[in-house]
Amino acid sequence: AYKRFSELLPKEERENGWSARVPKSQILTLPELRANPFQHRICRVFSTSETRDDSMSFEDFLDMLSVFSDSATSDIKSHYAFRIFDFDEDGTLDRKDLEQLVNCLTGQGEESRLSSEEMEQLIQNILEESDIDKDGTINLSEFQHVVSRSPDF
């Protein structure tokens, strides 16, 4: 893991790799993230940068790798998935978060974008299936409940 991390650093910073931060632009060159529709959110969620530039320390990088490893528990995976899908970072998935989530999954192109009626119907279906307390949002425990019924998650 350290070898992969240090390869993302400029040559002159590799000796101090333990304390260096890799810029987001370099993290996004990783093949695992390059085509991921949530690449920017992944960087935001795992970065501990005080300047919120989404750069990563080696510890941030390890956290990201461990969550995406096959050995991570579904509780940990679902916790981070929830944070990635919570675009406005308010602790719930509301209609706006769900719309952004669907747009990320279907692509931003005109040919793949859902009509407003299709989007509304899909969001309504998601909320009917997931919003147990019927408050119009999905909280972490509701999200984890839905995920627990999805063995492929």
Side-chain angles (χ1 to χ4, degrees):
Y2 183 74
K3 184 177 184 306
R4 284 197 78 192
F5 178 79
S6 64
E7 287 169 352
L8 297 171
L9 289 168
K11 283 187 176 29
E12 63 275 5
E13 289 185 39
R14 289 186 184 162
E15 291 133 34
N16 304 324
W18 296 106
S19 59
R21 296 192 72 83
V22 171
K24 176 183 177 180
S25 60
Q26 283 300 108
I27 298 291
L28 294 178
T29 66
L30 290 167
E32 297 86 346
L33 290 181
R34 203 174 299 136
N36 190 310
F38 300 102
Q39 58 181 221
H40 297 287
R41 287 294 305 152
I42 290 168
C43 288
R44 171 56 49 98
V45 165
F46 287 98
S47 173
T48 57
S49 169
E50 291 179 11
T51 62
R52 292 186 58 88
D53 64 359
D54 299 343
S55 64
M56 287 192 195
S57 66
F58 179 57
E59 196 171 311
D60 297 338
F61 188 74
L62 277 180
D63 287 345
M64 179 180 70
L65 292 181
S66 68
V67 169
F68 289 111
S69 81
D70 292 337
S71 59
T73 66
S74 80
D75 268 0
I76 288 177
K77 287 182 181 291
S78 61
H79 170 81
Y80 280 94
F82 181 84
R83 288 188 57 204
I84 290 166
F85 299 159
D86 182 13
F87 290 89
D88 59 10
E89 300 179 7
D90 67 353
T92 64
L93 302 183
D94 58 17
R95 289 179 169 278
K96 218 172 184 56
D97 291 319
L98 294 173
E99 185 172 335
Q100 280 187 268
L101 172 60
V102 170
N103 284 334
C104 280
L105 291 172
T106 58
Q108 300 296 325
E110 281 302 313
E111 69 283 346
S112 61
R113 181 168 282 134
L114 297 180
S115 71
S116 55
E117 294 81 22
E118 292 168 325
M119 180 67 79
E120 182 53 39
Q121 184 61 56
L122 181 55
I123 290 172
Q124 196 55 46
N125 292 348
I126 292 168
L127 288 171
E128 282 174 23
E129 184 73 26
S130 311
D131 182 16
I132 297 166
D133 62 9
K134 303 298 179 209
D135 67 350
T137 65
I138 301 167
N139 62 36
L140 177 58
S141 63
E142 291 168 332
F143 182 79
Q144 287 180 319
H145 176 74
V146 169
V147 166
S148 72
R149 298 181 316 188
S150 307
D152 291 341
F153 184 80

